[in-house]
Amino acid sequence: MAGLLNIGTTFIPSSSNLLRNPNSLPSLRTNNPSNKTLIQAKIREIFMPALSSTMTEGKIVSWVKSEGDKLSKGESVVVVESDKADMDVETFYDGYLAAIMVEEGGVAAVGSAIALLAETEDEISEARSKANSSSPSAVVAETKMEKPQETVASIPPPPSPVKVSVPIAVSASSIHPASEGGKRIVASPYAKKLAKDLKVDLGSVVGSGPMGRIVAKDVEAAAAAAAAVVVSGAAPESPKPVAQSAPAKVSGSPGIELGSVVPFTTMQGAVSRNMVESLNVPTFRVGYTITTDALDALYKKIKSKGVTMTALLAKATALALAKHPVVNSSCRDGNSFTYNSSINIAVAVAIDGGLITPVLQDADKVDIYTLSRKWKELVDKARAKQLQPHEYNTGTFTLSNLGMFGVDRFDAILPPGTVSYSTSNSELLTLQRSLQGAIMAVGASQPSVVATKDGRIGMKSQMQVNVTADHRVIYGADLASFLQTLAKIIEDPKDLTL
Amino acid sequence: MGLKTAIIEGDVVGGTCVNRGCVPSKALLAVSGRMRELQSEHHLKALGLQVAAAGYDRQGVADHANNLASKIRNNLTNSMKAIGVDILTGVGTILGPQKVKYGKVGFSDNVITAKDIIIATGSVPFVPKGIEIDGKTVITSDHALKLEFVPDWIAIVGSGYIGLEFSDVYTALGSEVTFVEALDQLMPGFDPEIGKLAQRVLINPRKIDYHTGVFASKITPAKDGKPVTIELIDAKTKEPKDTLEVDAALIATGRAPFTKGLGLENINVATQRGFVPVDERMRVIDADGNLVPHLYCIGDANGKMMLAHAASAQGISVIEHVCGKDHVLNHLSIPAACFTHPEISMVGLTEPQAREKAKKEGFEISLAKTSFKANTKALAENEGEGLAKLIYRPDNGEILGVHIFGLHAADLIHEASNAIALGTRIQDIKFAVHAHPTLSEVLDELFKSAKVSASVSSQISEPVAV
């Protein structure tokens, strides 16, 4: 019954429900909110029983009774599979099965609530709303909270891939010849199952199977592409004032306990140290607004070949850097320019427990398709915590993208060294002298009203980029002309596919 | 028995079972079972094993099935010759009582007489109208067993044991499957509780989806780059519901008796939906309701129980009769099995059938259930997924039905089917000892946990006639 106390905090006062049942027991039906606790006590939890001494969790085999059924004490309500056998579970109270919280096939820990029992029929709807607003997992409870916390945020799970992806929704089903002009979606059984599990909307997936059928790997690619966009949006150096101090996590965050003190993990310790180190470097910032209509159109065209927006931006940046080598330089000893021999674009990625910067080597020389493939490999490795040192500490310029959150503009902190850490090997903590002179923070591409050349008002998609650079080696004019070149490349992106 | 015997075979020795049924299908299922095991990484890992990517050669698998069929066919032929059976090739037709003619097409006929004649012409896959079979993309079990190709996506029309077994084979070999089932439940012939568990294990976690309550009103084979199209209509309202486009379709909607051209009209016998009417002793009944003397019909052709071993049992019953000993086969003691992974087996009545009988005849029934999770051997094999169920009469200990879903279910059922055949009661069989640790202890659990009010009975009672 301890669960009831938690429920109370998110419980929506049911005055509207009370009003709906004016004829029921008048003594309980007042709008006095202090009666809340009295009413709550009438809604009981049916919890997962321990069917054997070794059982820690049970799986619901089937619900014998359905929502709304009347229950008498001792009646079988549900069949539960334990580690030994399937057993019928009886109810200890009379009442009505108000809400089923764990469905057939679902698993629940011993002692957790699997259903709610209401004493009277009137309370069934109350119990249902309670069941909806509370749930066994803390993560779900977090998402119901209205505002993100000011301190370390409890991050909602990554938003659904369809919303997050760069706003180009291709109506994929129209490609299928027999789909009657896009009316029918043809997908294989496994693809349908995956789409359900990964929450991918089949209507937006391009089919690569026979005759344009959507197959499993198309669904996986759609889910991964969306997740990659979410993932690459980490701003490892964003200063505290920015609303979110920790970017979206790929694997979903564990619940944050308010009022608790949680020591840094080794990776978080490394990040913190690096950030403090960066205070020794004199930096300045230059911003630029870039029109992305042409880039978006190009992306739409070549997306099906596995090209991601990250790869396109990296390639554009690399080509611009090729024309402005000083922006690709760094100041290692405080006395000289170190002009890096290759252009290696590091892209900030949030991973479980921290962040890392996989590097796309020679981004100016590699073609966009290979770059995209390489990027996917690096992200997978990063997630599996299998990145090798040379894959994350050889960057000469960093890209950080928070666009998927709707951030229009932010400043990044110039990484004084590589933020690298391998959680499997606690000794591996690389801290190197500055290899990078600059870092670019990319905001969201948003449709904006602009004044056009002929004096009219028009609409263009625009994004704001902001570069933080080390003023010991990079001066204002250098940075400004680099950004001008970058804007030109992005606004006329034909060179990106060379 | 010392009877002079001849077999008239119009096609290949062994019939469906050896050539197009039991034998090749079990060969394919053996392959699919192994593939599934080798591909189940987490299953093997739990045992501490790792296997590099398992693969298969389609021709090799097809050959295994074909070679096995040939081998069994040859063994059968040799065995028959060795015991003195005459094998006469040709299509047989009954001319009159105790008179048969046979002959190959294009050759002259031979007429022979015999004291007793047994019709055992079996069945063929039933293809509902509207479905066009091309043998390549729209196939029946006959073609499927040759495994000429493994489609990416195959629709299986019919979710009975044949469809289920094929879904096991195809999904293990990498295909995705869609079931098209006319009734509202998948696997309608099984005990519903077993069916539900089977669905959770054999269908939900695999690359299989399904449409229930629909008929495939029209199936067009693949042509000119277009895929196989299946038009689905609601089973009750007959309104069009959906259209599927798949790489192949397997028609597994049951089997129809093969009784055309038997000359039954010559002896005034009328078939019912193709089946030959017989009594409980397999004697053929003519259109006037009289027994045709010296004529019997066994197996799929009479439709009583369309299983190979049922046919054999019926045959044995007939021979007993011919030799002067009366014998009536108790069909409730004939087990059935479905060789998916894990296997399903059953004998006797399903729970709904038992409840109906109980209501009609005025007795109580009880259930005993046990999970394979409680069995040491099953856990050792990491195959704890399974259920065994016993339906019985608590007043006298009679076994009404046993259903098993789990590892080696097809082998385990025989203890129960033997008990039913001999009329053994639970209160007697529960003292039998089972070796430990074996899967048979699953049944031991069932018998020991059953609560019977009667005490140990004195003598075995007569088997119940069907």
Side-chain angles (χ1 to χ4, degrees):
Chain A
M1 292 300 164
L4 277 174
L5 297 172
N6 260 345
I7 292 166
T9 57
T10 50
F11 186 59
I12 302 152
S14 63
S15 46
S16 54
N17 287 344
L18 297 174
L19 287 171
R20 261 192 271 135
N21 304 305
N23 296 327
S24 43
L25 310 165
S27 56
L28 295 170
R29 294 298 185 261
T30 64
N31 285 349
N32 187 348
S34 69
N35 269 350
K36 228 189 331 181
T37 30
L38 191 63
I39 295 164
Q40 279 179 331
K42 298 268 183 194
I43 295 169
R44 300 186 205 278
E45 288 179 353
I46 297 177
F47 52 90
M48 174 67 71
L51 297 173
S52 71
S53 50
T54 48
M55 178 177 160
T56 51
E57 62 179 23
K59 189 151 92 172
I60 309 280
V61 174
S62 59
W63 283 95
V64 178
K65 298 282 183 180
S66 324
E67 285 191 354
D69 283 352
K70 190 166 190 313
L71 303 174
S72 343
K73 186 161 140 181
E75 255 193 304
S76 200
V77 180
V78 61
V79 180
V80 165
E81 183 190 282
S82 70
D83 54 346
K84 298 261 158 55
D86 288 359
M87 302 265 307
D88 288 346
V89 175
E90 296 161 4
T91 168
F92 299 121
Y93 299 98
D94 292 336
Y96 293 86
L97 182 57
I100 290 179
M101 290 161 72
V102 181
E103 288 296 336
E104 287 186 10
V107 174
V110 167
S112 62
I114 53 174
L116 292 178
L117 181 149
E119 282 219 8
T120 63
E121 274 193 270
D122 311 317
E123 280 139 346
I124 292 181
S125 41
E126 265 178 46
R128 288 240 176 92
S129 62
K130 202 200 310 190
N132 284 336
S133 58
S134 79
S135 81
S137 90
V139 179
V140 178
E142 303 286 334
T143 62
K144 294 294 173 188
M145 295 193 190
E146 303 301 315
K147 301 183 304 178
Q149 308 286 316
E150 291 311 310
T151 52
V152 185
S154 68
I155 309 300
S160 95
V162 179
K163 285 190 283 185
V164 164
S165 61
V166 176
I168 298 159
V170 180
S171 176
S173 54
S174 56
I175 295 170
H176 184 120
S179 65
E180 292 163 358
K183 274 193 272 152
R184 226 165 357 113
I185 295 173
V186 183
S188 80
Y190 190 39
K192 282 194 200 140
K193 276 205 176 122
L194 276 181
K196 204 160 135 213
D197 292 336
L198 299 175
K199 300 197 185 21
V200 172
D201 172 21
L202 281 173
S204 67
V205 179
V206 179
S208 72
M211 288 160 278
R213 179 193 300 167
I214 299 175
V215 285
K217 67 175 188 328
D218 300 324
V219 176
E220 282 170 349
V229 176
V230 174
V231 152
S232 67
E237 308 83 351
S238 58
K240 291 289 172 188
V242 176
Q244 301 206 315
S245 51
K249 311 230 193 280
V250 176
S251 50
S253 62
I256 307 284
E257 258 192 52
L258 304 181
S260 62
V261 177
V262 181
F264 283 155
T265 64
T266 325
M267 176 192 254
Q268 290 166 335
V271 172
S272 172
R273 265 190 297 279
N274 283 341
M275 293 302 112
V276 172
E277 275 263 341
S278 76
L279 295 173
N280 289 330
V281 178
T283 54
F284 74 111
R285 291 152 183 76
V286 177
Y288 212 96
T289 301
I290 303 181
T291 304
T292 58
D293 291 307
L295 186 69
D296 290 339
L298 175 64
Y299 174 56
K300 201 175 177 160
K301 256 201 323 199
I302 56 179
K303 187 166 119 162
S304 57
K305 302 206 182 101
V307 175
T308 62
M309 204 36 133
T310 308
L312 282 170
L313 288 172
K315 179 92 182 148
T317 311
L319 288 177
L321 285 172
K323 300 203 172 103
H324 300 269
V326 74
V327 184
N328 196 41
S329 70
S330 67
C331 187
R332 272 195 210 206
D333 53 5
N335 280 329
S336 53
F337 292 86
T338 305
Y339 291 103
N340 289 310
S341 46
S342 9
I343 300 177
N344 301 333
I345 306 285
V347 184
V349 168
I351 57 170
D352 185 23
L355 52 93
I356 203 155
T357 52
V359 175
L360 287 164
Q361 315 264 5
D362 290 312
D364 56 327
K365 303 209 175 71
V366 174
D367 74 86
I368 187 67
Y369 304 104
T370 315
L371 212 60
S372 299
R373 257 197 308 276
K374 189 80 193 128
W375 179 240
K376 183 176 184 316
E377 269 173 44
L378 288 170
V379 169
D380 288 341
K381 271 182 159 178
R383 279 198 210 138
K385 303 209 173 94
Q386 283 168 0
L387 274 185
Q388 300 301 307
H390 72 271
E391 288 173 324
Y392 57 71
N393 66 12
T394 47
T396 57
F397 187 98
T398 305
L399 265 187
S400 179
N401 190 343
L402 280 184
M404 75 293 308
F405 293 100
V407 168
D408 53 358
R409 194 207 150 222
F410 70 104
D411 305 338
I413 296 181
L414 185 58
T418 50
V419 180
S420 59
Y421 180 74
S422 167
T423 49
S424 59
N425 182 352
S426 54
E427 293 85 58
L428 198 73
L429 183 64
T430 3
L431 236 166
Q432 284 180 314
R433 284 294 117 210
S434 177
L435 266 185
Q436 304 195 33
I439 174 170
M440 183 162 84
V442 178
S445 177
Q446 288 163 341
S448 323
V449 176
V450 298
T452 60
K453 282 198 215 40
D454 54 359
R456 284 192 227 261
I457 298 180
M459 282 277 277
K460 281 198 216 269
S461 272
Q462 300 199 311
M463 76 180 177
Q464 297 188 52
V465 304
N466 206 309
V467 179
T468 309
D470 182 343
H471 207 297
R472 294 173 296 177
V473 288
I474 300 171
Y475 295 13
D478 302 322
L479 195 45
S481 66
F482 160 74
L483 282 169
Q484 196 176 43
T485 310
L486 179 63
K488 275 214 195 70
I489 293 176
I490 288 182
E491 288 169 1
D492 184 9
K494 54 184 185 331
D495 290 342
L496 291 185
T497 48
L498 284 179
Chain B
M1 292 298 188
L3 301 171
K4 187 158 181 293
T5 318
I7 284 195
I8 301 177
E9 176 51 66
D11 186 20
V12 274
V13 168
T16 299
C17 172
V18 173
N19 301 290
R20 297 176 295 274
C22 328
V23 171
S25 66
K26 269 67 238 168
L28 291 181
L29 282 161
V31 171
S32 74
R34 289 269 206 318
M35 264 310 270
R36 208 177 280 288
E37 259 182 63
L38 294 172
Q39 281 173 336
S40 174
E41 267 181 48
H42 78 267
H43 204 240
L44 293 174
K45 213 158 152 195
L47 296 168
L49 296 172
Q50 71 222 47
V51 174
Y56 70 90
D57 164 40
R58 186 208 52 82
Q59 191 59 50
V61 175
D63 289 342
H64 172 56
N66 288 332
N67 294 343
L68 183 64
S70 305
K71 190 153 124 172
I72 307 268
R73 184 172 48 235
N74 293 336
N75 287 353
L76 184 59
T77 315
N78 292 338
S79 302
M80 286 203 289
K81 288 208 184 101
I83 52 174
V85 174
D86 295 318
I87 302 178
L88 310 167
T89 4
V91 176
T93 314
I94 301 176
L95 294 174
Q98 298 173 302
K99 200 157 42 165
V100 175
K101 83 163 186 263
Y102 71 94
K104 290 207 269 248
V105 175
F107 290 75
S108 58
D109 296 329
N110 302 306
V111 177
I112 52 170
T113 57
K115 179 165 164 283
D116 297 286
I117 302 173
I118 302 179
I119 300 172
T121 44
S123 63
V124 287
F126 167 65
V127 179
K129 70 170 169 49
I131 301 180
E132 199 187 314
I133 303 274
D134 72 345
K136 287 211 170 6
T137 56
V138 182
I139 56 179
T140 64
S141 56
D142 291 351
H143 310 105
L145 289 168
K146 295 208 180 46
L147 203 69
E148 268 160 15
F149 88 115
V150 179
D152 286 337
W153 185 6
I154 181 165
I156 299 184
V157 184
S159 65
Y161 69 90
I162 295 184
L164 209 55
E165 285 185 1
F166 273 108
S167 80
D168 197 290
V169 173
Y170 280 116
T171 49
L173 296 180
S175 310
E176 298 187 31
V177 168
T178 298
F179 273 117
V180 174
E181 171 57 54
L183 299 180
D184 294 325
Q185 282 278 84
L186 286 181
M187 300 181 271
F190 296 87
D191 176 272
E193 201 176 348
I194 298 283
K196 224 158 141 197
L197 181 60
Q199 191 169 325
R200 260 175 51 208
V201 178
L202 298 175
I203 297 188
N204 294 350
R206 297 185 182 173
K207 299 180 184 177
I208 303 177
D209 69 354
Y210 50 88
H211 301 263
T212 48
V214 289
F215 288 134
S217 62
K218 189 166 183 308
I219 302 188
T220 337
K223 219 188 334 210
D224 307 324
K226 280 187 74 192
V228 173
T229 32
I230 304 177
E231 282 167 31
L232 300 176
I233 59 172
D234 186 286
K236 297 192 194 63
T237 64
K238 307 284 187 287
E239 281 181 25
K241 243 184 143 191
D242 206 347
T243 306
L244 299 178
E245 283 146 31
V246 293
D247 298 319
L250 170 67
I251 311 303
T253 43
R255 297 185 65 89
F258 186 63
T259 47
K260 275 214 228 349
L262 272 178
L264 293 170
E265 57 283 356
N266 297 340
I267 38 166
N268 191 27
V269 171
T271 57
Q272 290 159 357
R273 291 177 303 120
F275 294 109
V276 177
V278 295
D279 70 0
E280 77 256 2
R281 289 169 173 79
M282 306 306 130
R283 294 180 294 205
V284 177
I285 305 173
D286 71 11
D288 304 318
N290 301 318
L291 291 177
V292 180
H294 302 287
L295 185 62
Y296 304 85
C297 178
I298 59 171
D300 285 6
N302 73 22
K304 270 189 178 287
M305 200 168 196
M306 293 171 79
L307 293 173
H309 48 274
S312 304
Q314 289 169 350
I316 292 174
S317 172
V318 168
I319 299 302
E320 289 291 293
H321 196 253
V322 161
C323 292
K325 286 178 259 176
D326 190 26
H327 181 272
V328 175
L329 178 60
N330 175 11
H331 284 79
L332 281 180
S333 72
I334 300 182
C338 180
F339 296 85
T340 47
H341 298 90
E343 296 173 350
I344 312 174
S345 65
M346 66 193 89
V347 66
L349 305 168
T350 63
E351 194 182 327
Q353 287 170 341
R355 287 199 190 278
E356 210 187 300
K357 186 166 186 210
K359 205 156 80 172
K360 226 174 8 178
E361 298 178 18
F363 58 82
E364 295 275 315
I365 66 162
S366 283
L367 303 175
K369 283 184 243 182
T370 180
S371 167
F372 273 58
K373 281 196 196 40
N375 181 278
T376 311
K377 185 84 183 331
L379 291 176
E381 302 271 350
N382 199 9
E383 298 273 358
E385 194 82 69
L387 174 73
K389 181 169 155 174
L390 167 69
I391 309 170
Y392 64 100
R393 277 181 70 157
D395 57 350
N396 61 10
E398 184 186 336
I399 301 174
L400 298 169
V402 175
H403 301 263
I404 310 179
F405 172 61
L407 187 61
H408 289 308
D411 297 317
L412 296 172
I413 194 71
H414 297 93
E415 205 179 337
S417 58
N418 272 2
I420 295 183
L422 297 170
T424 316
R425 300 291 154 110
I426 294 175
Q427 56 272 32
D428 299 323
I429 202 172
K430 70 200 261 188
F431 291 104
V433 180
H434 297 74
H436 177 79
T438 58
L439 294 168
S440 69
E441 290 175 285
V442 168
L443 277 120
D444 193 36
E445 262 299 307
L446 286 180
F447 297 134
K448 290 197 161 66
S449 65
K451 296 190 200 9
V452 177
S453 35
S455 52
V456 177
S457 55
S458 47
Q459 273 300 42
I460 313 289
S461 47
E462 296 275 22
V464 177
V466 169

